[in-house]
Amino acid sequence: QVQLVESGGGSVQTGGSLRLSCVASGYTNSNYSMGWFRQAPGKEREGVAGITSDGITSYADSVKGRFTISQDKAKNTLNLQMNSLKPEDTGIYYCAAAGARLSWWSLLRPIYYSYWGQGTQVTVSS
């Protein structure tokens, strides 16, 4: 049973920073992909950043240069460093895992992910 537990959400002002973390357990596949997704009220869930087991990354155009995804394999942890936050970054952020090494173009597509965390709220005020 794969479990993903996010932490690190909160409220910041425009220009501030937050670091999200996701601890994964019950995962034994050496080939995998993990990603961060977000959902704002009234909007569809969208991919923010993804990373494969061998370190290939992908970012949504809206966060390139501001967000950095990373993984600590020793701690089974996925991180998302978010800098220069904007009000449009507000939403619930979800950690997700896929039991395969996804291609670069599919890393940000929710349909390819089987496991999801419960989400953590990020609010950016102007």
Side-chain angles (χ1 to χ4, degrees), residues 3-4 9 14 17 19-20 30 37 39 42 44 46 56 60 65 75 81 83-84 87 89 91 120 125:
Q3 290 189 324
L4 304 172
T14 297
S17 298
R19 183 178 178 85
L20 304 183
S30 59
F37 296 80
Q39 189 164 19
E44 292 187 354
E46 63 173 353
I56 302 300
K75 296 182 179 179
Q81 179 65 42
N83 299 327
S84 302
D89 294 318
T120 185
S125 57

Side-chain angles (χ1 to χ4, degrees), residues 4-7 9 36-37 45 91-95 116-122:
L4 304 172
V5 180
E6 303 101 331
S7 62
W36 287 100
F37 296 80
R45 190 170 298 189
I92 300 175
Y93 281 67
Y94 298 91
C95 170
W116 293 84
Q118 81 288 352
T120 185
Q121 177 71 45
V122 171

Side-chain angles (χ1 to χ4, degrees), residues 47-60:
V48 175
I51 188 168
T52 64
S53 47
D54 56 348
I56 302 300
T57 59
S58 181
Y59 295 92

